Amino acid sequence: MLDLNSRRRDFDGFDGRVYLNTAAEGIPPKVVGESLQQYFRDKQLGMDGRIPHFEQWEQAKAEAAKMLGFEPEEIGLCSCTSEAFNLLSLALQLQTGDEVVVNELDFPAGITPWLQPTCPATVRRWKASDNRLVATDMQSLLSSKTRLVTLSLVSFYNGFTVSLEETIATIRKNSPAMIAVDVTQALGRIPLKLDGVDFVVSSTHKWILSSHGGGIVAIPKSMRDRIQVPAGGWLHIEDAFGPKRFEKATSKFGAAGFSVGMPNFPAVYALRAALNFMNQVGIARIDDVCRPMMEACYPGLKKLPIEMLTPPEPTAWAGIIAFRHPDAERLHRSLHQQNIHVMHQAGRMRVAIHGYNTMDDVEQFLTALKAELSKK
Ligand SMILES: Cc1ncc(COP(=O)(O)O)c(C=O)c1O
């Protein structure tokens, strides 16, 4: 991370490969591999292994709290972002007449729970204008009926980074809605300031460089008593094995309610190790190292015959730049053959720049793309 020497020391597998696809899958540092081996050793202890398993659980929450700017007791762990949103939808118990605001730049995990036939709320769509989400465009969607506004801080689609302060102020002024923010494409890449957010969620396999099978939930103390997940299970149930267990089930309030059964401990070990690694490197330093690469990549792409999907203003950037080209599939294939890894989907290509990338990665990518675009 941050330079070639530490990249060689802390990671395997970058030699000869230009990896610009962290928005899909982060490359875990070696310490994450070691933590998974530790899990295996602890698992061999049988039930005694639960002591180190739950120690890792507590430490993972503490590391997540540090990175998110929350207290450890405000953090919960589950298995993925989708699971967290589904449990939130249970907790909200929306009724006919309630409204939920989603937006056009968001990932399906934050949109589809409210579109299920079992959800009686009306979904309102915050439209993107010119590939941006502008707070004033949402104003007319908000009212006393709005129960939830859900958005990603950084869009998976084009990397557009929402102005959170302005968005929160608009929502607060025009509705009593709860504000849920998915930070999957931001956490580990840019420093976060999440004041005023009611519900935070993140996947773990991208910019924080952990494994699959993890989900982080953060709920501030001020919201704790308003979020209680009415799901079955045991870990989140008060006195689940007590004498009243056949009479009632009471879920814990707040983030603890999002861990319903035996945790995915391999993912927890990986998460603790990855977050500890990233907290030591420092997210502000990662962002500082990445800015010049973003500032070189964007104008480099702008000169090429492609349609940019990421707006030009650097204040709206995190780590993603996306563009469109009719030959995206061919371009992607050819870059991949040269061991240059970016993402493509339905004509859209996406580049992701993280702290383990170098200016050389950016230059190799731009040179190869330019050469491919000139072929026909
Ligand atoms: C913003 C965002 N949220 C969530 C996810 C993934 O959700 P889940 O953890 O449920 O797979 C992604 C990408 O895969 C994403 O880009």
Side-chain angles (χ1 to χ4, degrees):
M1 225 56 180
L2 306 178
D3 61 52
L4 267 184
N5 285 338
S6 59
R7 181 167 97 173
R8 280 200 194 102
R9 185 191 64 213
D10 295 334
F11 292 85
D12 278 327
F14 278 104
D15 286 347
R17 173 166 73 151
V18 172
Y19 192 78
L20 295 166
N21 202 6
T22 302
E25 295 287 346
I27 304 297
K30 290 181 203 169
V31 287
V32 169
E34 287 155 19
S35 75
L36 289 166
Q37 286 166 9
Q38 183 62 48
Y39 164 74
F40 183 66
R41 286 193 293 276
D42 290 346
K43 180 72 178 83
Q44 286 173 317
L45 300 175
M47 193 161 164
D48 288 352
R50 288 196 192 167
I51 294 164
H53 294 341
F54 277 105
E55 278 168 12
Q56 293 271 335
W57 168 263
E58 292 304 331
Q59 288 166 16
K61 288 201 287 184
E63 295 284 356
K66 192 169 166 189
M67 196 179 284
L68 285 161
F70 281 68
E71 298 295 324
E73 55 275 21
E74 296 174 313
I75 302 294
L77 300 178
C78 62
S79 298
C80 60
T81 292
S82 303
E83 181 188 22
F85 274 124
N86 282 312
L87 293 175
L88 178 66
S89 90
L90 285 180
L92 287 177
Q93 300 188 33
L94 298 175
Q95 307 294 325
T96 305
D98 289 341
E99 296 186 354
V100 174
V101 175
V102 302
N103 70 74
E104 289 187 338
L105 296 184
D106 214 350
F107 190 77
I111 301 171
T112 53
W114 334 107
L115 293 172
Q116 294 298 323
T118 48
C119 178
T122 302
V123 171
R124 298 199 162 265
R125 195 190 329 175
W126 178 10
K127 293 207 169 114
S129 52
D130 225 1
N131 291 313
R132 297 168 180 83
L133 292 171
V134 184
T136 45
D137 292 345
M138 176 185 35
Q139 212 161 307
S140 64
L141 306 177
L142 298 167
S143 73
S144 58
K145 294 188 216 153
T146 319
R147 292 278 314 278
L148 176 73
V149 178
T150 163
L151 59 126
S152 286
L153 178 59
V154 176
S155 165
F156 85 105
Y157 176 78
N158 67 351
F160 176 76
T161 305
V162 169
S163 160
L164 212 45
E165 223 174 305
E166 208 182 325
T167 305
I168 291 173
T170 305
I171 298 167
R172 294 285 181 241
K173 210 167 136 200
N174 296 284
S175 81
M178 183 180 289
I179 302 171
V181 178
D182 179 345
V183 297
T184 297
Q185 295 292 0
L187 190 67
R189 175 58 182 78
I190 53 170
L192 299 183
K193 206 168 162 290
L194 297 168
D195 303 334
V197 177
D198 300 319
F199 180 86
V200 182
V201 63
S202 180
S203 309
T204 59
H205 57 285
K206 299 178 189 284
W207 303 89
I208 53 174
L209 313 184
S210 190
S211 70
H212 303 114
I216 302 170
V217 169
I219 297 175
K221 276 191 200 86
S222 55
M223 287 299 292
R224 185 186 169 275
D225 294 346
R226 288 180 51 197
I227 302 181
Q228 188 182 29
V229 175
W234 61 274
L235 191 59
H236 72 307
I237 301 285
E238 299 285 6
D239 203 15
F241 302 99
K244 296 235 167 88
R245 67 187 184 281
F246 296 109
E247 288 157 37
K248 62 172 184 166
T250 309
S251 301
K252 291 175 186 163
F253 283 92
F258 288 73
S259 310
V260 293
M262 185 60 90
N264 179 347
F265 283 120
V268 170
Y269 275 62
L271 184 61
R272 187 212 61 80
L275 288 173
N276 178 262
F277 174 85
M278 296 296 276
N279 277 328
Q280 278 181 42
V281 173
I283 308 307
R285 285 170 74 206
I286 290 175
D287 197 32
D288 284 348
V289 161
C290 291
R291 284 279 147 188
M293 289 188 264
M294 293 291 291
E295 281 159 12
C297 193
Y298 195 95
L301 284 169
K302 195 102 213 298
K303 284 190 214 135
L304 302 177
I306 54 178
E307 179 199 346
M308 293 305 280
L309 295 176
T310 303
E313 53 277 8
T315 48
W317 296 347
I320 292 173
I321 303 175
F323 55 93
R324 201 189 283 289
H325 190 277
D327 277 346
E329 200 175 330
R330 173 182 69 80
L331 296 171
H332 176 263
R333 194 171 45 247
S334 152
L335 291 174
H336 199 263
Q337 277 160 2
Q338 297 170 62
N339 218 357
I340 299 174
H341 300 247
V342 296
M343 210 267 331
H344 94 104
Q345 187 187 43
R348 175 176 61 102
M349 295 183 80
R350 184 179 70 185
V351 184
I353 295 176
H354 204 1
Y356 45 46
N357 290 119
T358 63
M359 199 59 99
D360 198 42
D361 290 339
V362 174
E363 281 160 13
Q364 278 193 56
F365 158 67
L366 288 172
T367 307
L369 182 64
K370 188 173 173 190
E372 280 312 311
L373 284 165
S374 67
K375 285 176 187 173
K376 242 301 170 201

